C-alpha cells in the first residue's frame, strides 16, 4: 500500500524527473548542488516522507527537466542511493541510480586550511578512494576526508 502511494506521488508529474530516496537531511543540499534555485521549471519538494527503508526521505520533482549523467552524479557525494525516475506522459519510463564519479571537481571543500585550493582561486579536485563508505582524497594535498566530514562548497 505504501509503495503504491509513493508511486502515485511520483507519477503526478507529467514530464520531468523525480529524484527519490533522498536522505531527509540532505534534501536542500541536493537542491543547491543541482542549481535548482536558478531554474524556471515548476519544482515540488517533499521532505520527511515516510520510507520503509530509510525512516524518512525526501523527493524532488522537476517538471520538464532531464538531467545529464554528470550533472546528476554530483549529488552522489551527499546522497549515494538516490533514484531518478524519468517521467514521460505521467509514466516512469526509466529508473536510474546515481553513481559516484571517480573524480569530483569543484563540489567539495578541502578540509586542510593549508591546501592550495583554500588559498588560490581554483577548483577543488578529489578522487574517491572508498566507494562503499564514501572516502575522498584531495588531489592537491592528499588529505583524506570521510563521509561525515565532507563540506560542500
Ligand atoms: Zn587539499
Amino acid at each position: 500500500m505504501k509503495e503504491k502511494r509513493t508511486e502515485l506521488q511520483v507519477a503526478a508529474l507529467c514530464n520531468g524527473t523525480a529524484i527519490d530516496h533522498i536522505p531527509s537531511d540532505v534534501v536542500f543540499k541536493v537542491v543547491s548542488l543541482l542549481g535548482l534555485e536558478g531554474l524556471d521549471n515548476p519544482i515540488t519538494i517533499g521532505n520527511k516522507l515516510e520510507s520503509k527503508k530509510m525512516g524518512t526521505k525526501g523527493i524532488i520533482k522537476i517538471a520538464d527537466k532531464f538531467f545529464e549523467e554528470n550533472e546528476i552524479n554530483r549529488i552522489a557525494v551527499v546522497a549515494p542511493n538516490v533514484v531518478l525516475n524519468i517521467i514521460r506522459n505521467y509514466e516512469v519510463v526509466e529508473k536510474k541510480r546515481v553513481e559516484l564519479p571517480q573524480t569530483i571537481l569543484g563540489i567539495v571543500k578541502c578540509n586542510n586550511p593549508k591546501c592550495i585550493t583554500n588559498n588560490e582561486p581554483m577548483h577543488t579536485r578529489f578522487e574517491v578512494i572508498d566507494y562503499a563508505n564514501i572516502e575522498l582524497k584531495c588531489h592537491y594535498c592528499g588529505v583524506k576526508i570521510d563521509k561525515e566530514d565532507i563540506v560542500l562548497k
Side-chain angles (χ1 to χ4, degrees), residues 81-120:
N81 296 313
V82 154
V83 176
L84 257 73
N85 298 281
I86 315 300
I87 295 162
R88 295 192 192 270
N89 218 355
Y90 295 104
E91 277 186 38
V92 178
V93 293
E94 197 184 348
K95 275 181 188 277
K96 282 194 212 171
R97 233 165 227 290
V98 300
E99 281 173 40
L100 201 56
Q102 200 183 338
T103 306
I104 296 162
L105 294 170
I107 301 171
V108 177
K109 191 180 174 340
C110 185
N111 290 357
N112 171 9
K114 288 187 178 156
C115 181
I116 186 164
T117 61
N118 285 318
N119 296 285
E120 298 287 337

Side-chain angles (χ1 to χ4, degrees), residues 33-136:
L33 274 179
L34 292 176
L36 299 183
E37 300 101 319
L39 282 183
D40 288 329
N41 308 42
I43 297 173
T44 312
I45 299 171
N47 200 10
K48 308 284 167 90
L49 304 171
E50 221 177 289
S51 162
K52 223 177 275 174
K53 255 188 280 174
M54 307 168 65
T56 68
K57 67 169 182 179
I59 296 181
I60 302 171
K61 292 187 272 186
I62 308 117
D64 304 315
K65 172 82 184 163
F66 303 96
F67 293 93
E68 300 290 329
E69 210 104 313
N70 61 345
E71 240 179 326
I72 207 72
N73 285 344
R74 292 160 59 96
I75 68 176
V77 181
V78 295
N81 296 313
V82 154
V83 176
L84 257 73
N85 298 281
I86 315 300
I87 295 162
R88 295 192 192 270
N89 218 355
Y90 295 104
E91 277 186 38
V92 178
V93 293
E94 197 184 348
K95 275 181 188 277
K96 282 194 212 171
R97 233 165 227 290
V98 300
E99 281 173 40
L100 201 56
Q102 200 183 338
T103 306
I104 296 162
L105 294 170
I107 301 171
V108 177
K109 191 180 174 340
C110 185
N111 290 357
N112 171 9
K114 288 187 178 156
C115 181
I116 186 164
T117 61
N118 285 318
N119 296 285
E120 298 287 337
M122 62 191 290
H123 285 305
T124 58
R125 175 175 173 171
F126 287 88
E127 311 296 333
V128 178
I129 52 173
D130 183 339
Y131 279 86
N133 301 308
I134 307 186
E135 193 181 5
L136 311 178

